[in-house]
């Protein structure tokens, strides 16, 4: 069975009951897409090149929602079928709040697409001084260390965008989303150091930390720069 590939659609269309059947989506996939519909509609307004890909093959333990890049386009990939752990990240969240957390996760992934579309993927601001590599380490270790550092920076930026989106869209529930995101990051095993975004989360404990900006991406950028200094 081929994977289902959908161009990014409007929030109105994603909310239609017929959409799931037409696109051959499961109830879980439909629920996640509907929860993230407002973010996806905003991404469309910003002309971000996003396609939605639904993986039909069972992939137990796979990341349920992820952003990839191919051919100049961003690919929001849902891997939920035959994946019992797909919603583990929501296990401690009250049912009434789960859609909110899925919306935050969608904003996080869209932030990755924004960086990619801006041609800024793995880049740092002008004037930022990176830590020099440890020449005593083998080249392959130096390369891995740099890759982990670059991934961590992107994850930090994306977490801040997710929070900026929450402050703009659901300011009254910012604290719940922030607390949950902190818990998710704190619970990660040591092997996930590339997703350690504590330095950035510490700067956004209150939604008021985000200055006014035209987009959540721009709002996140200032705090992200501050966090970069802390990680070096």
């Amino acid at each position: 069975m081929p994977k289902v590939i959908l161009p990014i659609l409007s929030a109105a269309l994603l909310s239609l009951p017929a959409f799931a059947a037409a696109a051959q989506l499961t109830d879980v996939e439909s629920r996640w897409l509907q929860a993230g519909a407002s973010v996806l509609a905003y991404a469309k307004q910003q002309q971000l090149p996003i396609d939605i890909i639904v993986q039909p093959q069972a992939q137990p333990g796979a990341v349920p929602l992820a952003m990839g890049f191919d051919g100049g386009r961003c690919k929001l990939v849902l891997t939920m079928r035959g994946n019992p752990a797909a919603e583990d990240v929501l296990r401690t969240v009250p049912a009434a709040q789960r859609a909110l957390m899925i919306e935050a996760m969608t904003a996080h992934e869209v932030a990755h697409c924004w960086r990619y579309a801006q041609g800024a993927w793995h880049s740092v601001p002008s004037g930022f001084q990176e830590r020099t590599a440890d020449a005593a380490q083998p080249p392959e270790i130096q390369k891995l260390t740099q890759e982990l550092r670059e991934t961590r920076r992107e994850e930090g930026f994306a977490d801040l965008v997710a929070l900026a989106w929450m402050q703009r869209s659901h300011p009254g529930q910012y604290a719940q989303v922030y607390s949950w995101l902190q818990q998710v990051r704190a619970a990660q095993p040591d092997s996930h150091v590339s997703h350690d975004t504590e330095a950035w989360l510490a700067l956004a404990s209150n939604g008021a930390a985000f200055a006014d900006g035209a987009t959540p991406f721009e709002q996140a950028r200032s705090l992200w720069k501050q966090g970069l200094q802390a990680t070096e």
Side-chain angles (χ1 to χ4, degrees):
M1 178 180 179
K3 59 190 175 185
V4 181
I5 304 179
L6 310 169
I8 191 166
L9 301 171
S10 70
L13 182 54
L14 283 170
S15 69
L16 293 175
F19 175 73
Q24 301 176 321
L25 300 179
T26 66
D27 289 343
V28 173
E29 291 161 352
S30 296
R31 182 160 49 81
W32 278 59
L33 285 173
Q34 289 172 9
S38 60
V39 181
L40 296 175
Y42 181 78
K44 183 179 181 182
Q45 292 173 5
Q46 297 297 308
Q47 300 184 330
L48 293 179
I50 302 179
D51 299 319
I52 300 170
I53 295 180
V54 178
Q55 298 282 20
Q57 300 88 359
Q59 296 186 40
V63 176
L65 189 70
M67 185 67 73
F69 313 111
D70 182 51
R73 296 190 63 81
C74 305
K75 308 293 181 178
L76 183 65
V77 182
L78 282 74
T79 309
M80 299 176 177
R81 304 182 188 190
N83 185 3
E87 295 195 293
D88 278 0
V89 71
L90 300 173
R91 184 178 299 160
T92 63
V93 179
Q97 295 181 2
R98 290 180 180 176
L100 189 69
M101 306 312 170
I102 295 170
E103 184 176 340
M105 284 189 277
T106 305
H108 173 105
E109 299 304 334
V110 167
H112 289 324
C113 181
W114 185 85
R115 287 274 291 170
Y116 176 79
Q118 292 285 310
W121 190 247
H122 285 176
S123 69
V124 292
S126 175
F128 175 72
Q129 295 296 318
E130 287 193 279
R131 188 187 320 161
T132 57
D134 184 354
Q137 294 288 345
E140 60 271 19
I141 297 300
Q142 293 184 38
K143 181 175 182 293
L144 176 60
T145 299
Q146 181 62 24
E147 290 174 350
L148 290 173
R149 185 179 295 136
E150 290 172 349
T151 299
R152 186 184 183 199
R153 291 168 181 162
E154 296 299 339
E155 294 303 321
F157 180 81
D159 276 1
L160 288 176
V161 169
L163 292 172
W165 174 268
M166 286 296 119
Q167 177 63 15
R168 293 163 67 100
S169 303
H170 308 282
Q173 295 170 290
Y174 183 92
Q176 293 98 309
V177 177
Y178 178 82
S179 177
W180 170 77
L181 185 54
Q182 267 198 321
Q183 292 173 16
V184 170
R185 294 310 188 200
Q188 292 173 147
D190 292 341
S191 59
H192 285 59
V193 66
S194 63
H195 284 58
D196 176 8
T197 62
E198 180 181 0
W200 289 279
L201 292 180
L203 298 172
S205 59
N206 189 298
F210 293 100
D212 292 338
T215 71
F217 315 112
E218 293 170 356
Q219 287 181 290
R221 192 155 43 189
S222 177
L223 290 183
W224 182 66
K225 290 179 181 178
Q226 294 180 43
L228 285 176
Q229 299 297 334
T231 60
E232 290 296 308

